[in-house]
Amino acid sequence: MSTTGTPQVPAPLEQHVWPTSADLTPTGELVLAGLAATDLARDFGTPAFVMDEKHFRDRARLFRDSFTEAFAAVGAEVDVYYAGKSFLSVAVARWAREEGLRVDTCTGGELAVALRAGVPGAEIGLHGNNKSDAEISRAIEAGVGRVVVDSFAEIDRVAELARDAGRDSSTRVPVMVRVTTGIHAGGHEFISTAHEDQKFGVSLTGGQALAALRAVLDHPELELLGAHTHIGSQIQDAAAFEANARKMLALRAKLETETGYLLPELDLGGGYGIAYVPSETPIDVPALARDLAGAVGSVCAELGTTVPRISIEPGRSVVGSTTVTLYTVGVVKPVTLDDGSVRTYVSVDGGMSDNIRPALYGAEYTARLANRTGSAETIRARVVGKHCESGDIVISDIELPSDVTPGDLLAVPATGAYGRSMASNYNHVLRPPVVAVADGAARVIVRRETEDDLLALDVG
């Protein structure tokens, strides 16, 4: 428990966790892009995702400029794809394109949003381990710049659907083969995606990836654009990306040796880490770009090959830190534990329906009162949601002001990625809106669901 007494000034924000526009008034109220949290809560209700548009645009440009500059030094061009699975809406897809990014999608729904936003098909990618024929056909019809195939069976299916669409050797469908390199990186095992025992990609082991690349070359309707890899999520160490790139470049060289075909492009995926809590450090994007470009350039020189065009897919690292979830505090309940200590359960008006990550991955977050400073004396607290589930925990263990009370606003930062995109209607709770803020103005870019929305689907 920290020291007691009435604070004279609010504790400062840990800026690497919060949006760049976040600030505090002298009384401790959170301000986002010049807008007070209490005003945002009054105008849009809670829970609500509040997204800093300028922060998103700045992050997009940071990736675009850092990777373009770094790879230019080794003679390579770069495409940056915004990974839409982290969070995608029509407005966000437009922002990404306006800042020079392409859009990566992994379902027909995400593809529909990107197309609705006006993103040209050639600037969209589609991947996924179990695409339907309808999704593949729509991608072909839209002229997507790449279909990332995930299995031998899918190579044949894409070729068949390409023929059905009238494609031939002069109008080929560009494809990449997703490769599992065996590099294990990231946080929870469920978000590490390049080890062998999982559903994505074709393994390097036993020459399977090489065989898959050769299989694409055997189909005249398909253009082998390159190979794709993704090693995990929330990765903080650039060494994992460098090791993965080395394996992919070796595969590229081996394919050229055996077939004479040199892959024009490699997609090195994403998974770059951000800070969710003050003790974490977000990955240094310019340094990552320089290290990765240096590794790619060196390996290509060792192998005697030209440097391929490179693509990357940041998602969380663009959008994650842009967004704060505003909640209203409801029940505050001290609970005496078996050891005699007390934990105070602070219930908010959302929970696992707007942030499933703590329940799914054990993900950690921080929070603070958003409407005032609060007492300097703190209590051991657990922030929980309103759902009928004991695992409905937003933050398992946190120090909050001892005078936290019903009606207070609680702000949880770094919820831009996989909050709204993984949201559900568990217990028929309505999914929150996404409110974009910029230059002292706010606008809804995804509206709050209503009971009419829920009942419209229930045809009983």
Side-chain angles (χ1 to χ4, degrees), residues 227-241:
H228 175 289
T229 185
H230 183 76
I231 60 175
S233 296
Q234 191 54 10
I235 302 168
Q236 304 285 4
D237 184 3
F241 296 109

Side-chain angles (χ1 to χ4, degrees), residues 96-116:
R97 184 167 189 256
E98 287 167 1
E99 301 304 336
L101 273 55
R102 300 185 177 202
V103 178
D104 175 67
T105 66
C106 59
T107 65
E110 289 181 1
L111 176 60
V113 172
L115 292 172
R116 172 67 65 85

Side-chain angles (χ1 to χ4, degrees), residues 85-436:
K85 68 174 187 171
S86 56
F87 172 68
L88 193 64
S89 72
V90 169
V92 163
R94 286 174 179 160
W95 298 347
R97 184 167 189 256
E98 287 167 1
E99 301 304 336
L101 273 55
R102 300 185 177 202
V103 178
D104 175 67
T105 66
C106 59
T107 65
E110 289 181 1
L111 176 60
V113 172
L115 292 172
R116 172 67 65 85
V119 181
E123 296 179 14
I124 299 174
L126 176 69
H127 73 259
N129 70 297
N130 188 30
K131 307 176 199 70
S132 68
D133 286 356
E135 288 172 326
I136 295 170
S137 294
R138 186 172 190 184
I140 293 172
E141 180 184 357
V144 300
R146 61 180 61 181
V147 176
V148 182
V149 294
D150 205 79
S151 64
F152 286 94
E154 191 175 60
I155 292 170
D156 293 336
R157 287 174 55 229
V158 174
E160 180 181 354
L161 292 167
R163 288 193 297 273
D164 291 345
R167 299 297 187 96
D168 55 27
S169 59
S170 63
T171 56
R172 296 178 296 170
V173 174
V175 302
M176 304 185 89
V177 174
R178 179 155 178 170
V179 176
T180 304
T181 61
I183 300 294
H184 182 99
H188 194 283
E189 64 174 316
F190 290 173
I191 57 175
S192 296
T193 55
H195 55 282
E196 301 296 344
D197 189 10
Q198 50 87 38
K199 69 178 185 176
F200 290 111
V202 183
S203 176
L204 281 174
T205 302
Q208 295 178 62
L210 184 65
L213 293 169
R214 298 187 68 150
V216 174
L217 291 174
D218 290 338
H219 287 287
E221 309 85 2
L222 304 182
E223 174 192 358
L224 181 55
L225 184 63
H228 175 289
T229 185
H230 183 76
I231 60 175
S233 296
Q234 191 54 10
I235 302 168
Q236 304 285 4
D237 184 3
F241 296 109
E242 295 175 31
N244 188 61
R246 286 180 175 273
K247 289 199 171 190
M248 293 293 285
L249 289 164
L251 173 65
R252 177 176 180 255
K254 188 169 185 179
L255 179 70
E256 183 187 25
T257 298
E258 294 193 5
T259 67
Y261 186 84
L262 186 63
L263 294 174
E265 185 170 339
L266 290 181
D267 189 313
L268 300 180
Y272 316 119
I274 67 168
Y276 283 98
V277 295
S279 61
E280 294 178 333
T281 302
I283 202 162
D284 184 328
V285 176
L288 168 68
R290 290 191 298 269
D291 291 347
L292 196 53
V296 168
S298 296
V299 173
C300 286
E302 293 169 11
L303 296 171
T305 62
T306 59
V307 180
R309 189 181 191 96
I310 295 293
S311 49
I312 60 167
E313 298 170 0
R316 176 203 319 264
S317 50
V318 174
V319 74
S321 56
T322 68
T323 300
V324 171
T325 304
L326 290 181
Y327 296 108
T328 298
V329 173
V331 172
V332 177
K333 181 168 60 176
V335 175
T336 301
L337 308 183
D338 291 340
D339 62 3
S341 64
V342 175
R343 190 200 310 276
T344 300
Y345 278 71
V346 178
S347 298
V348 296
D349 54 352
M352 65 191 305
S353 61
D354 58 72
N355 191 352
I356 192 64
R357 295 186 69 253
L360 193 60
Y361 306 137
E364 295 183 352
Y365 288 85
T366 189
R368 69 179 297 142
L369 289 184
N371 56 311
R372 60 187 179 89
T373 299
S375 169
E377 182 180 359
T378 62
I379 52 173
R380 179 188 181 192
R382 175 167 290 173
V383 180
V384 296
K386 65 179 295 177
H387 301 282
C388 190
E389 194 81 32
S390 58
D392 179 23
I393 298 171
V394 179
I395 303 174
S396 183
D397 194 33
I398 188 171
E399 295 286 317
L400 290 177
S402 61
D403 61 348
V404 60
T405 190
D408 275 333
L409 290 180
L410 199 68
V412 178
T415 55
Y418 305 107
R420 183 58 173 80
S421 67
M422 296 178 79
S424 74
N425 291 125
Y426 181 48
N427 293 150
H428 281 89
V429 169
L430 305 174
R431 287 182 289 184
V434 181
V435 180

